[in-house]
Amino acid sequence: MKRLFALAGAILLAAAPLKAEDTVTDFVLDNGMQVVVIEDHRAPVVTHMVWYRAGSADEPAGSSGIAHFLEHLLFKGTKTLEPGEFSATVAANGGRDNAFTSYDYTAYFQRVAADRLELMMQMESDRMVNLQLGEAEILTERDVIIEERNQRTENSPGALMREQLNAAQYLNHRYGVPIIGWRHEMVNLSLEDALSFYETYYAPNNAVLVVAGDVEPDAVLELANTYYGKIPPNPELEPRARSQEPPQTSARRMVFEDPRVAQPYVTRSYLAPERDPGNQETAAALTILAEVLGGGTTSVLTEKLQFEQQVAVYTGAWYRGTSLDDTTFDLTIVPSQGVSLQDAEDAMDAAIAEFLEEGVDRDHLERIKMQLRASQIYARDSVDSLANRYGAALTSGLTISDVQAWPDILQAVTEDDIISAAKQVFNRKTSVTGWLKAPENVEVSQ
């Protein structure tokens, strides 16, 4: 019976249209703010998001962490809201809210009943221009982000190594600077730093409003004009211009030792192209390559290194294509008991070389495509997922057309496309290999 249900599900997915079925309407307000409306009338709820084209990679040198710091500070008061009143109001209306910062964007969101959308726009547009900050807010919130770094980075040998690995991967680009910031710069972040970043980037002509859920486009546009449309743009906002990577001509290696390490492992990152507007084919091939190599128990690295050779207890491969500039393709192997890091690395390299020689198994590729198609279909059940998909893409240089074309581009990837992309990316000269281990002669408690 289970096999019958599985077969029926596969048939339904195979028959499902490849093109996105999202009902999307977009507008541009007179002040330059882009408004994207994604209709989903199955439940009377709405996700309201404001995305700024300003992330940690847009920070001025010497002020690392200011984008994330400002994200925290926006929950302080405005001319009309007391500190903490924003989130308290959302909660009192049965909703939830939060924010997040990445390399390429900072986003603020609320999920509420659809009839509370106007209130959300009123409050969010208010803090776009009316943030009230003083030295007291700077001091207290700076302590908060430093403690956040302590918990997420300083207390994790793996996080510390990844931070160093990124810094080695990017020789000139700001992607080599941690989103949360370098600690020695975080402790000096000032009111002037926060206000400068806020006044430069928090403007309607640098923002994307995404509203997803039980809404009508015309009604959303009317509200957006009422609350966001009256905010003047920043005429001095420059096009995004970042320092780019020079040619990378030498492989880099590092060993990160920490007495807290209980499980050593090897990780390697390669510089890789991102999804570009109108040109997503290579990124699609790399997306599927990550699944072929490290996407679960049937992946190449898992079968060869964990099951056949039993030299690893874990293997993985990752690629994050939604990025404004060059991103990375990453591999990890955690060796089995008694297997050295060098032997594990050699086994991983041998498995990759064998894969490039043998090519992609056609049946495996079709299974991955089916899984990707299923995940894309199921993702439409979540308005949060839809809003995030479009917001992240639009603030990373892509267009609505790119987002909607992506499922078909993934399905069109061939075995040859995958091998070609792999050979392009697996260039040791653009790689960084890291070993995480405990120092020699140091006992590690299990």
Side-chain angles (χ1 to χ4, degrees):
M1 184 63 70
K2 289 182 178 178
R3 289 181 180 177
L4 288 174
F5 281 129
L7 178 61
I11 292 172
L12 287 172
L13 286 173
L18 299 184
K19 289 190 179 296
E21 296 178 345
D22 311 331
T23 304
V24 180
T25 308
D26 73 302
F27 313 93
V28 178
L29 304 184
D30 290 343
N31 58 12
M33 186 176 194
Q34 185 175 7
V35 180
V36 178
V37 183
I38 308 167
E39 295 179 68
D40 185 335
H41 301 287
R42 289 174 292 180
V45 295
V46 65
T47 295
H48 170 266
M49 305 190 78
V50 171
W51 297 71
Y52 293 97
R53 294 183 180 92
S56 65
D58 300 293
E59 298 166 341
S63 298
S64 64
I66 192 61
H68 174 250
F69 187 30
L70 183 58
E71 174 213 312
H72 278 245
L73 292 171
L74 244 72
F75 290 88
K76 300 300 182 180
T78 69
K79 293 179 179 178
T80 60
L81 294 171
E82 294 295 323
E85 187 178 354
F86 189 110
S87 293
T89 302
V90 175
N93 281 271
R96 61 181 180 86
D97 73 317
N98 213 325
F100 48 88
T101 304
S102 186
Y103 291 112
D104 297 316
Y105 51 75
T106 307
Y108 302 82
F109 71 88
Q110 304 88 40
R111 180 171 168 81
V112 293
D115 62 359
R116 300 298 193 273
L117 175 60
E118 181 173 6
L119 176 60
M120 298 304 106
M121 285 202 189
Q122 177 185 341
M123 293 195 300
E124 193 67 82
S125 62
D126 176 48
R127 68 176 174 180
M128 182 182 284
V129 288
N130 292 322
L131 185 64
Q132 298 292 292
L133 295 176
E135 289 295 343
E137 288 82 7
I138 295 297
L139 293 175
T140 56
E141 206 61 36
R142 193 169 60 196
D143 288 342
V144 170
I145 61 169
I146 290 172
E147 181 56 29
E148 184 177 338
R149 180 182 166 87
N150 289 339
Q151 294 178 2
R152 295 186 178 183
T153 306
E154 306 292 350
N155 288 338
S156 170
L160 288 169
M161 185 187 76
R162 286 191 296 273
E163 190 174 75
Q164 295 291 312
L165 195 88
N166 276 346
Q169 178 69 83
Y170 290 98
L171 304 176
N172 195 45
H173 197 282
R174 293 286 296 182
Y175 286 167
V177 177
I179 294 172
I180 199 167
W182 297 115
R183 185 186 182 94
H184 71 281
E185 292 182 349
M186 293 170 67
V187 297
N188 292 317
L189 292 177
S190 66
L191 176 61
E192 290 73 23
D193 294 328
L195 291 177
S196 175
F197 201 80
Y198 176 71
E199 291 166 359
T200 299
Y201 294 110
Y202 280 53
N205 53 322
N206 197 46
V208 180
L209 169 64
V210 180
V211 178
D214 188 21
V215 292
E216 298 293 339
D218 289 344
V220 173
L221 177 59
E222 183 179 355
L223 288 173
N225 270 314
T226 298
Y227 292 102
Y228 294 105
K230 63 186 179 183
I231 300 173
N234 177 7
E236 298 179 0
L237 184 67
E238 298 287 340
R240 293 176 101 168
R242 294 169 170 175
S243 56
Q244 297 299 302
E245 282 296 290
Q248 295 194 0
T249 58
S250 175
R252 282 134 287 161
R253 299 186 63 87
M254 55 176 283
V255 177
F256 192 95
E257 295 184 336
D258 191 302
R260 298 170 294 179
V261 173
Q263 178 63 72
Y265 62 81
V266 179
T267 187
R268 181 181 297 141
S269 69
Y270 296 88
L271 205 62
E274 76 285 4
R275 290 169 62 185
D276 286 324
N279 182 19
Q280 304 182 90
E281 285 73 16
T282 299
L286 291 173
T287 298
I288 295 184
L289 174 64
E291 294 297 317
V292 170
L293 291 178
T297 57
T298 61
S299 66
V300 169
L301 294 180
T302 299
E303 286 195 342
K304 289 183 180 296
L305 302 180
Q306 292 181 235
F307 297 149
E308 293 179 14
Q309 301 177 29
Q310 297 185 0
V311 296
V313 296
Y314 174 79
T315 57
W318 300 272
Y319 170 71
R320 184 181 65 88
T322 305
S323 174
L324 188 64
D325 297 312
D326 279 352
T327 183
T328 60
F329 191 102
D330 299 89
L331 301 167
T332 293
I333 177 170
V334 180
S336 301
Q337 185 71 30
V339 177
S340 70
L341 291 176
Q342 186 62 64
D343 287 343
E345 181 182 341
D346 291 343
M348 181 179 74
D349 288 337
I352 295 293
E354 185 177 347
F355 163 74
L356 293 176
E357 182 68 25
E358 293 179 350
V360 180
D361 180 82
R362 179 169 297 179
D363 291 338
H364 188 198
L365 175 57
E366 290 307 312
R367 288 195 300 272
I368 288 172
K369 287 183 177 181
M370 187 71 71
Q371 291 164 358
L372 289 172
R373 186 187 308 181
S375 67
Q376 289 159 352
I377 292 171
Y378 297 146
R380 295 190 187 121
D381 289 337
S382 167
V383 293
D384 291 347
S385 176
L386 288 170
N388 276 280
R389 181 191 307 168
Y390 282 90
L394 294 172
T395 49
S396 299
L398 298 172
T399 67
I400 290 175
S401 296
D402 293 322
V403 177
Q404 295 182 334
W406 182 243
D408 280 350
I409 294 174
L410 286 172
Q411 294 298 320
V413 170
T414 67
E415 296 98 312
D416 289 344
D417 293 334
I418 295 169
I419 295 301
S420 176
K423 289 180 177 179
Q424 174 187 343
V425 167
F426 292 154
N427 175 4
R428 284 296 185 88
K429 292 181 179 180
T430 68
S431 74
V432 183
T433 303
W435 288 9
L436 178 69
K437 60 192 288 284
E440 300 294 338
N441 303 319
V442 173
E443 292 187 5
V444 180
S445 58
Q446 300 292 331

